[in-house]
Amino acid sequence: RSEIKAARAGQGLPLSSIKLPEPSFHTSIHTHKRDPGTLSLKVSTASIGGAMEAKGNWPNGARCAVTLTFDNMSEANELHRHGHAMGQYAEGAYAPRVGVWRILEMLERCRVPATFFIEGWSAERYPEAVKAIVERGHEVGAHGYMHEEWNTLDPATERALLEKTTAIHTRVTGAAPRGWRSPGAVMTKITVELLASLGYRYTSDFTDRDLPYMMEGGRLAQLPFAWVLDDYVYYGKAKNKAKFIL
């Protein structure tokens, strides 16, 4: 699943390097290792200077920024929900076996870096795909353990799954994940606190603004998204697509 969060412009800025002091938006520039002119910043669903947002400045006078992100990388969701990945439920396995490799080839050809939010189970089951993502200069963030209904978890289970997922990502990629996107973009009341305690630097779950901002307490950045820019609501099996799009 891919999500285009804004329009194209700008310099290379890894998602995890964003610095967001309030009230203005600022960033530190980090060039992409393969192409210093490539953009890699997940930012907003609109250009800077909108009526509802305080003005900020993108590097080199760019008017807006763009990023590509990809969620869900295996049959983890189907296994968790249905107990098997047979028949049509096998479609999740297409990602690590075929889809990811085609996407990586496309990104290499276009010289565009991206962020992949991957479940802990998926990273452990398909480490070769995750390592290939990292080796080609892309970021890997966490996306639950088996794409759970995250807002239904009790505190002990949530902490255990977060710690387990973080440990798996660290072992497979060689570095602790700095970004998080909850499965289905839902949270509990303690998710943000747990993420901060585990060393995460940002989440991408809220739909309350166009531009990134520091969350209350200043420990985590929030990189908002909009369902209308998520291809799942157009091509997936969402029960009420109008709810997300309109």
Side-chain angles (χ1 to χ4, degrees), residues 8-182:
R8 183 174 184 175
Q11 282 276 339
L13 293 164
L15 226 127
S16 56
S17 71
I18 297 172
K19 296 182 179 180
L20 305 172
E22 294 281 8
S24 298
F25 174 70
H26 300 281
T27 65
S28 57
I29 298 177
H30 292 255
T31 56
H32 189 267
K33 71 178 185 180
R34 287 179 285 111
D35 184 354
T38 301
L39 176 69
S40 178
L41 172 64
K42 178 176 201 169
V43 284
S44 71
T45 60
S47 60
I48 280 186
M52 300 302 292
E53 295 280 0
K55 283 192 174 183
N57 294 294
W58 296 117
N60 299 330
R63 296 176 59 189
C64 56
V66 66
T67 193
L68 293 176
T69 68
F70 301 88
D71 301 356
N72 308 351
M73 201 198 71
S74 78
E75 66 275 31
N77 182 35
E78 288 76 18
L79 288 172
H80 177 69
R81 292 178 181 274
H82 308 293
H84 68 87
M86 306 295 288
Q88 67 170 331
Y89 298 148
E91 66 179 0
Y94 183 89
R97 295 173 180 171
V98 181
V100 165
W101 305 100
R102 289 183 175 177
I103 289 171
L104 289 176
E105 180 182 352
M106 176 194 70
L107 294 173
E108 183 74 24
R109 185 171 65 251
C110 297
R111 297 191 299 176
V112 175
T115 295
F116 293 74
F117 291 100
I118 299 173
E119 304 88 350
W121 185 92
S122 304
E124 192 167 47
R125 176 68 177 82
Y126 299 101
E128 67 284 351
V130 177
K131 291 178 181 178
I133 291 170
V134 174
E135 289 170 357
R136 299 191 191 194
H138 307 292
E139 180 188 16
V140 172
H143 192 53
Y145 178 66
M146 291 189 77
H147 209 279
E148 297 80 5
E149 295 182 12
W150 206 261
N151 58 322
T152 68
L153 300 178
D154 62 77
T157 300
E158 181 175 16
R159 177 179 288 277
L161 289 176
L162 265 172
E163 291 177 346
K164 184 176 185 178
T165 296
T166 302
I168 291 171
H169 274 269
T170 302
R171 183 174 68 252
V172 173
T173 68
R178 295 194 247 181
W180 169 271
R181 177 175 289 162
S182 289

Side-chain angles (χ1 to χ4, degrees), residues 153-210:
L153 300 178
D154 62 77
T157 300
E158 181 175 16
R159 177 179 288 277
L161 289 176
L162 265 172
E163 291 177 346
K164 184 176 185 178
T165 296
T166 302
I168 291 171
H169 274 269
T170 302
R171 183 174 68 252
V172 173
T173 68
R178 295 194 247 181
W180 169 271
R181 177 175 289 162
S182 289
V186 293
M187 291 182 164
T188 72
K189 293 180 179 180
I190 65 171
T191 304
V192 170
E193 178 184 344
L194 290 174
L195 290 171
S197 71
L198 290 171
Y200 285 83
R201 294 183 58 181
Y202 73 88
T203 78
S204 182
D205 301 289
F206 286 29
T207 56
D208 58 341
R209 298 194 195 181
D210 287 328

